[in-house]
């Protein structure tokens, strides 16, 4: 945000752009589409999983802004704007909601204006910062959010990019340490338990030159929520977290687990 033109590398795939491609977006390059198609060939379910993850995000934000009454959201690892972004969902429920997006992807920076729309009553801000610097994230977020009041911290599909699991846990703990009681953590990550094809496709993607993503076990993903009061139904495949139609047939499992926890 220093006025310099961000440098976008279009020679290697980028996870945010590939994810955008799977969601049907247009903010991607040929190298991303090629990597995305290779992944789809090895594991056709990835596009469904991407959509299921996005739907989980929407349901979680709607619940937090509605039933829980959260009015502040800190979305770290934003990715590229698509439909039903965090601020759109939160402010559709609570027009006075404040949302801070955080990412270090230069392409997200170029699209920041799309993220900065807001209701007249609410506020939306974009912070160009690095996941590996939690204290800097909190300092910048505190310029818009009141960190003495509950905040919903959103970490969706980003912690798998942290190669060392203990470091990923540490990042979560440091971010939560700067938030008051009553704050919530929403997390979703790719797992490695249901589909060999998913794991094989991920291994191939990681060898493409892109920033690797490490699918982890549900136990490891659940570790991010350790010490929090985990909301029902717990950590589950994202399709099974408060599905929109209660009493309907159990939704299919996907290799993406999600959950929401409250800081006491």
């Amino acid at each position: 945000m220093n006025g310099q033109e961000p440098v976008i590398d279009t020679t290697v795939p980028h996870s945010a752009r590939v994810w955008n491609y799977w969601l049907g977006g247009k903010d991607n390059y040929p190298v991303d589409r090629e990597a995305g198609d290779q992944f789809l060939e090895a594991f056709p379910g990835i596009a469904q999983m991407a959509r299921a993850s996005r739907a989980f995000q929407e349901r979680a934000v709607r619940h937090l802004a509605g039933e829980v009454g959260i009015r502040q959201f800190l979305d770290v690892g934003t990715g590229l704007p698509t439909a039903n972004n965090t601020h759109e969902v939160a402010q559709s429920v609570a027009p006075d909601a404040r949302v801070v997006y955080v990412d270090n992807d230069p392409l997200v920076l170029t699209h920041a204006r799309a993220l900065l729309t807001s209701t007249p009553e609410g506020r939306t801000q974009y912070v160009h910062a690095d996941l590996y610097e939690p204290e800097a994230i909190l300092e910048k977020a505190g310029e818009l959010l009141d960190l003495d009041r509950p905040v919903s911290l959103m970490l969706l599909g980003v912690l798998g990019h942290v190669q060392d699991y203990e470091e990923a846990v540490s990042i979560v703990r440091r971010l939560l340490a700067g938030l008051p009681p009553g704050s919530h953590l929403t997390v979703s990550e790719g797992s490695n338990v249901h589909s060999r094809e998913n794991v094989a496709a991920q291994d191939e993607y990681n060898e493409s030159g892109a920033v690797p993503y490490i699918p982890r076990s549900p136990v490891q993903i659940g570790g991010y929520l350790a010490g929090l009061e985990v909301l029902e139904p717990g950590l589950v495949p994202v399709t099974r977290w408060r599905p929109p139609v209660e009493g309907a047939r159990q939704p299919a499992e996907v290799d993406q687990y999600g959950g929401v926890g409250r800081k006491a």
Side-chain angles (χ1 to χ4, degrees):
M1 303 291 278
N2 57 7
Q4 295 182 350
E5 189 69 23
V7 178
I8 299 171
D9 187 351
T10 61
T11 64
V12 296
H14 191 285
S15 62
R17 303 193 307 250
V18 174
W19 199 256
N20 175 268
Y21 173 57
W22 287 332
L23 287 171
K26 299 179 180 179
D27 296 314
N28 46 72
Y29 295 96
V31 67
D32 307 307
R33 296 190 284 275
E34 181 180 351
D37 287 339
Q38 288 178 349
F39 204 117
L40 280 167
E41 185 174 343
F43 178 55
I46 188 62
Q48 175 193 1
M49 195 166 78
R51 292 190 292 269
S53 179
R54 195 70 179 187
F56 161 75
Q57 175 182 343
E58 180 179 354
R59 294 196 304 276
V61 171
R62 195 172 297 280
H63 173 75
L64 291 165
E67 285 89 328
V68 179
I70 297 289
R71 293 295 177 267
Q72 303 188 110
F73 292 80
L74 178 57
D75 189 333
V76 181
T78 303
L80 292 162
T82 56
N84 297 323
N85 300 292
T86 295
H87 73 283
E88 294 170 323
V89 177
Q91 292 176 351
S92 73
V93 177
D96 60 337
R98 294 188 167 206
V99 179
V100 171
Y101 290 107
V102 180
D103 209 295
N104 70 341
D105 178 5
L107 189 61
V108 177
L109 176 58
T110 66
H111 287 267
R113 286 195 186 96
L115 293 168
L116 296 182
T117 59
S118 176
T119 58
E121 304 94 328
R123 294 281 301 279
T124 307
Q125 183 61 31
Y126 174 79
V127 170
H128 194 67
D130 198 299
L131 175 67
Y132 291 89
E133 299 176 353
E135 289 76 21
I137 288 174
L138 291 166
E139 181 180 358
K140 293 178 180 179
E143 296 174 7
L144 178 66
L145 306 179
D146 180 355
L147 299 187
D148 292 325
R149 295 173 52 232
V151 174
S152 174
L153 172 62
M154 316 291 293
L155 292 168
L156 304 171
V158 65
L159 294 168
H161 289 299
V162 181
Q163 303 300 290
D164 182 80
Y165 175 68
E166 295 304 324
E167 184 174 12
V169 171
S170 173
I171 288 169
V172 175
R173 297 287 168 268
R174 288 158 65 191
L175 285 168
L176 285 171
L179 304 179
S183 294
H184 287 65
L185 167 65
T186 300
V187 65
S188 70
E189 291 293 330
S191 75
N192 56 10
V193 295
H194 293 307
S195 169
R196 293 179 182 176
E197 291 82 2
N198 181 23
V199 174
Q202 190 65 64
D203 288 343
E204 184 177 344
Y205 173 83
N206 289 348
E207 294 172 0
S208 69
V211 176
Y213 182 89
I214 309 299
R216 294 189 165 115
S217 70
V219 170
Q220 289 177 308
I221 298 168
Y224 301 134
L225 295 164
L228 304 178
E229 298 173 1
V230 181
L231 277 57
E232 291 294 336
L235 183 82
V236 293
V238 291
T239 49
R240 298 186 175 182
W241 195 91
R242 305 190 180 210
V245 182
E246 293 187 11
R249 191 170 66 178
Q250 183 88 315
E253 287 190 334
V254 294
D255 269 329
Q256 188 90 1
Y257 276 70
V260 180
R262 179 184 183 274
K263 182 177 179 179

